[in-house]
Amino acid sequence: MSTPIFSIANQKGGVGKTTTAISLASALAERKKRVLLLDLDSQANATSGLGLPKTEGRSILSALLDDADAAALVQPTSVPGLDLIASELDLAGAERELAGLPAYLQRLRTVLSPIAESGKYDFAFIDCPPSLNILTLNAFCASDGVIIPMQCEYFALEGISVILRMIDKLREAGAAPALAVEGIVMTMYDVRTNLSRQVTDEIKTHFPQALYSTLIPRSVRLAEAPSHGQSVLAYAPDSTGAAAYRKLAREFLKRRAAKDPAHA
């Protein structure tokens, strides 16, 4: 049974994308799910955020360019049940090299296929770069769905429209015919401001089926956790941020149960 793969993406940086990737993956692992996280961002924040070093030759680049075995790049993390394919700086040059290869948008799908078909994992997540570049498009083409973290700010709706147009283009071109939005996560929600509520209400009006009801709060503990090489669930397990991501994991699983009971 093939492992469902989800891209966690937003072309804008600083919206909680990597925090969501680490924390949701960790929360699912805490619920005894077997999870793989692929760090596809050359900044390698998901890698360092889980306490692993940025090691030369450990990124997915060798598999993308030379058909190396992606499974050999998988490393365990300190979170039981959560494995990682790390990133490092060499991914920064992947754009130019990938663009010259045949079927370049399908490279990641091809190299991840043996892992997905092995049935080793219940879920796989890809932490995408903060741009709609060739790596992100590869992630989309390798994925069953896209999870979009959105910061509670004025330009949130404009930002999500760009991602949705790109998903539509990939579907129409046949590069990712079944790709869909798995969900939208509102991050950095501040209960003290009208702006957070207004932006969330606007997203809910336009995308009522996609928006997760779980709101990720602004949290000092969420901001601190990566510097300690831990998810917020390990660093501050009783914090509001940890509670929010546990709730998001439950909501994610409930949606998956409705769509695909085998992976609930």
Side-chain angles (χ1 to χ4, degrees):
M1 187 177 299
S2 184
T3 300
I5 300 174
F6 303 96
S7 289
I8 299 180
N10 191 314
Q11 76 275 18
K12 186 177 185 303
V15 300
K17 175 182 59 63
T18 298
T19 296
T20 296
I22 292 173
S23 303
L24 177 58
S26 297
L28 289 169
E30 190 177 74
R31 296 181 68 85
K32 308 302 180 186
K33 299 299 181 181
R34 301 163 301 167
V35 184
L36 175 66
L37 176 59
L38 166 58
D39 189 348
L40 201 60
D41 185 353
S42 63
Q43 297 177 84
N45 290 334
T47 299
S48 59
L50 282 168
L52 276 74
K54 304 171 187 178
T55 306
E56 185 176 353
R58 294 298 299 182
S59 82
I60 196 71
L61 185 63
S62 60
L64 290 174
L65 299 181
D66 303 319
D67 294 319
D69 181 11
L73 300 169
V74 174
Q75 303 177 65
T77 71
S78 60
V79 180
L82 174 58
D83 290 345
L84 176 75
I85 298 178
S87 179
E88 51 125 342
L89 190 59
D90 67 354
L91 276 177
E95 294 284 298
R96 182 179 64 257
E97 296 177 87
L98 278 173
L101 296 177
Y104 67 91
L105 289 181
Q106 303 295 330
R107 294 297 296 173
L108 186 59
R109 183 183 185 89
T110 298
V111 301
L112 290 182
S113 181
I115 296 177
E117 296 301 325
S118 73
K120 181 178 180 180
Y121 298 102
D122 296 302
F123 302 106
F125 297 95
I126 304 172
D127 183 31
C128 296
S131 64
L132 294 177
N133 59 17
I134 289 178
L135 284 175
T136 299
L137 298 185
N138 259 267
F140 284 4
C141 291
S143 296
D144 299 281
V146 181
I147 295 174
I148 308 172
M150 300 297 302
Q151 186 178 356
C152 295
E153 63 171 16
Y154 278 117
F155 295 113
L157 197 61
E158 179 180 318
I160 199 170
S161 297
V162 174
I163 299 175
L164 294 179
R165 285 198 296 272
M166 182 55 67
I167 291 173
D168 286 342
K169 286 181 179 179
L170 291 173
R171 277 202 302 250
E172 291 165 5
L179 185 64
V181 174
E182 178 70 14
I184 301 168
V185 184
M186 301 308 297
T187 63
M188 304 182 191
Y189 188 90
D190 191 337
V191 296
R192 299 168 299 178
T193 67
N194 289 330
L195 177 61
S196 286
R197 185 177 66 255
Q198 290 167 356
V199 171
T200 301
D201 288 346
E202 187 174 15
I203 295 293
K204 187 174 183 178
T205 297
H206 288 83
F207 308 102
Q209 301 303 314
L211 182 65
Y212 287 110
S213 63
T214 302
L215 303 171
I216 308 302
R218 281 195 178 274
S219 165
V220 173
R221 296 291 180 260
L222 278 173
E224 290 174 345
S227 66
H228 294 268
Q230 295 179 309
S231 77
V232 70
L233 281 77
Y235 174 68
D238 298 324
S239 65
T240 57
Y245 277 109
R246 288 190 180 101
K247 182 180 178 182
L248 179 62
R250 293 194 298 271
E251 190 174 358
F252 171 84
L253 289 173
K254 185 176 181 180
R255 286 195 184 186
R256 293 311 305 166
K259 296 178 181 179
D260 183 4
H263 286 287

